[in-house]
Amino acid sequence: MTSHDAIGTERPPGPGRRRAARAAALLARPGVFGAAAGAATTLLMAARIFLPGAVGMADNGDGPRRMCALGTVAQVDPGSAPWWAFVNFGYVRAEPGMCDPAATYRSSGNLLLRLARPLGHWLGLPGELDLRALAVLFCLLAGLALGVFAAALRGGLAARSLVCLALFAVVGDSIFAGYAASPYSETAGLLGILAATAGAAHLGGSARARLGGLLVLTAGAVLAVASKTQSVSMVLPFAVLLLLSPVPVGRAAGRLAGRALPLLAAALIAVTGVVTLQWQTEPFKVINPTEVVFVGLLGNSPDPAASAVELGLPEDFAQYAGRSWWTPEPPQSDPRWPEVRDRMTYGTIAGFLLRNPGIAADIAVGAVEDFDAARPTYLGSYPVDAGEQPGAQESRLAVFGALLRFLGGGTVLLIVLALGTVAACRLRALRHQPRRRALVAALLCLAGLAGVQFLTAAYGEAIEGVKHQVFSIYAAGIALVMTAAAALCAPSPDAFGGGALPPPRQEPARVPESVG
């Protein structure tokens, strides 16, 4: 049988196969794929947090400062505890005088709480505010952000699906998911970083896609930067990303004109950082550097007495080395405290670290150990009625956490910083591949976020280092996913027929017929 006969006898695909092919072709469209990925993420995240029972993160004592911004206080469940051991989801209206306005913590996370309050009422949850409503809002916003990210991806359906699944595995990991139903401002920071990443992925598309991506990126960055004082250092990598990403609008398509909107967005993010610094409550402008001086510097010094003198403190203040503001007999209890309080500044700390690189290195080593631990072990995940032991922690999804433990936190951080360096070197070479360049620029931003947040957590406050590394760990995880996205989901411009046409098909030369 000839090849022509074989082709002629092939059966056409059946109705089932044709329907499957049409469905696959429809799902492969960027907009449809993005919507499907976003909806799937919302449902999977809800299942991950609420099944078989809701989980969150117990209060470490910071909750009242934030929740008082809404005039609410925790309703401790019967048999539960207010701190550390169990999650208390319900909040009721605070009685007059229970909340100190001067100690109220201002944050972009308060916006999420204000949205969660009516959502909780609509869901029929009891009390003035229920953290489970905040978790529902987290699921919706995380799904929306991942859907926006998915819509920016190109290439094979399988590759795009795997990248989105990997991103969900990071965002939903037990290291981070507990913040969804918690009284912490980290919730806003985590959502903000995810949204900014999703917007950045569109900065290599059409003019309309770039404009939309810029808006999402800016909104996410503002949400992240304003989440807490520690987040202000995120301004730098976000600004670098915007400086690398032109966004032409209308006739403003030139090299300089296309930079106008990104520069405006960078300025807005920078102003947000300044305002966030001003939001910090007055006591903590002294408390945080005091923690660094006594726990970080003197606690790591081989000669605390000499270091105390170098810091401008009495020599016998070495007795407070390693003591936090919150411990019995803290440094501020000393009668001479008013005389040395003005030495508790980050300028004093920076000068000391520059003169003592050995102590700076010891602090960095401790921060790497915090990064490796990834998750504070002292905050429970369950409400008391779940029947778990006090302080028990869930591990429903721990893929990224397992990778972190297998490779080691320091190794993962070094890998991400190395990927960021490679991304910086590759940007110019990718100027004719805008989609891949946008993903590589986002990778550079995420590596920068991991780096600056690592340093901020290491040298900005010397207690609860594991919890303070959460943004660095989160950015590092998403950076690994972005590396895969840049490699697999940004095909070359000629991958779908955009390049040179192949040569015309040549018919084989015919053998002359013999005569005779």
Side-chain angles (χ1 to χ4, degrees):
M1 181 184 293
T2 66
S3 60
H4 293 287
D5 293 333
I7 294 174
T9 58
E10 284 184 359
R11 295 182 179 180
R17 292 179 60 185
R18 287 198 299 269
R19 284 194 295 270
R22 285 197 295 267
L26 178 63
L27 183 59
R29 294 179 182 178
V32 176
F33 180 75
T41 296
T42 298
L43 295 174
L44 288 173
M45 191 68 73
R48 184 256 174 276
I49 293 175
F50 289 100
L51 298 179
V55 293
M57 187 175 288
D59 193 350
N60 67 348
D62 287 344
R65 291 191 299 124
R66 183 183 176 212
M67 304 306 289
C68 272
L70 276 73
T72 61
V73 293
Q75 185 176 32
V76 180
D77 299 325
S80 183
W83 325 117
W84 315 108
F86 296 107
V87 180
N88 296 292
F89 292 122
Y91 282 75
V92 296
R93 187 175 299 277
E95 297 295 332
M98 292 183 68
C99 287
D100 180 6
T104 298
Y105 194 85
R106 301 175 68 183
S107 162
S108 59
N110 294 350
L111 173 62
L112 300 181
L113 292 174
R114 295 186 186 281
L115 294 174
R117 180 158 54 183
L119 177 60
H121 296 162
W122 183 76
L123 293 172
L125 296 173
E128 182 68 16
L129 174 66
D130 195 295
L131 293 179
R132 288 170 293 186
L134 181 64
V136 171
L137 182 63
F138 178 90
C139 295
L140 293 171
L141 294 178
L144 178 61
L146 200 144
V148 171
F149 171 78
L153 303 181
R154 298 295 185 270
L157 185 59
R160 286 185 281 164
S161 299
L162 286 174
V163 166
C164 290
L165 186 61
L167 183 55
F168 169 78
V170 172
V171 176
D173 194 274
S174 294
I175 299 171
F176 315 113
Y179 288 100
S182 77
Y184 299 113
S185 54
E186 278 84 353
T187 310
L190 298 174
L191 283 172
I193 292 172
L194 180 61
T197 301
H202 285 270
L203 296 181
S206 64
R208 181 178 296 178
R210 293 189 189 199
L211 180 59
L214 178 64
L215 292 174
V216 175
L217 164 60
T218 305
V222 167
L223 184 66
V225 168
S227 61
K228 57 188 303 183
T229 307
Q230 173 191 333
S231 306
V232 171
S233 61
M234 294 184 191
V235 168
L236 181 59
F238 282 135
V240 169
L241 172 60
L242 288 165
L243 292 175
L244 294 171
S245 306
V247 178
V249 178
R251 296 183 179 180
R255 173 173 293 184
L256 295 179
R259 305 282 179 180
L261 287 180
L263 286 174
L264 182 62
L268 176 60
I269 295 168
V271 169
T272 300
V274 173
V275 172
T276 303
L277 286 177
Q278 297 302 314
W279 279 353
Q280 187 179 27
T281 56
E282 286 300 322
F284 280 85
K285 292 180 181 179
V286 176
I287 292 173
N288 289 348
T290 299
E291 303 279 21
V292 178
V293 167
F294 288 96
V295 179
L297 305 187
L298 298 186
N300 284 280
S301 174
D303 187 351
S307 295
V309 172
E310 185 177 351
L311 287 162
L313 307 174
E315 183 177 8
D316 64 345
F317 264 53
Q319 65 183 301
Y320 300 114
R323 293 193 186 180
S324 163
W325 185 279
W326 315 103
T327 57
E329 299 182 8
Q332 74 273 15
S333 67
D334 193 289
R336 295 163 292 175
W337 173 253
E339 302 172 14
V340 301
R341 177 175 172 167
D342 62 348
R343 300 298 299 160
M344 304 298 118
T345 68
Y346 284 110
T348 301
I349 294 166
F352 180 89
L353 290 172
L354 289 173
R355 296 188 300 270
N356 296 272
I359 295 177
D362 289 341
I363 293 174
V365 170
V368 170
E369 294 174 355
D370 293 336
F371 192 102
D372 186 59
R375 184 180 181 187
T377 58
Y378 47 83
L379 296 174
S381 300
Y382 296 94
V384 67
D385 60 9
E388 299 286 345
Q389 292 296 316
Q393 295 187 319
E394 61 87 14
S395 55
R396 295 174 180 177
L397 180 60
V399 176
F400 176 61
L403 176 66
L404 200 64
R405 289 189 297 273
F406 176 74
L407 295 178
T411 301
V412 170
L413 183 60
L414 287 176
I415 289 173
V416 168
L417 294 178
L419 289 171
T421 303
V422 173
C425 296
R426 288 286 296 161
L427 281 175
R428 183 173 178 80
L430 294 173
R431 61 188 182 276
H432 298 307
Q433 300 183 46
R435 292 192 183 277
R436 178 169 280 120
R437 188 180 188 278
L439 297 177
V440 170
L443 167 59
L444 174 60
C445 176
L446 288 163
L449 285 172
V452 299
Q453 279 298 293
F454 174 82
L455 296 175
T456 303
Y459 299 106
E461 190 175 355
I463 63 172
E464 290 199 284
V466 177
K467 181 171 176 288
H468 292 145
Q469 287 290 348
V470 64
F471 292 141
S472 179
I473 299 168
Y474 187 69
I478 299 179
L480 296 177
V481 177
M482 190 60 70
T483 303
L488 303 175
C489 301
S492 301
D494 60 349
F496 298 106
L501 293 175
R505 182 176 178 179
Q506 299 292 329
E507 292 291 334
R510 294 196 176 194
V511 179
E513 296 181 4
S514 58
V515 179

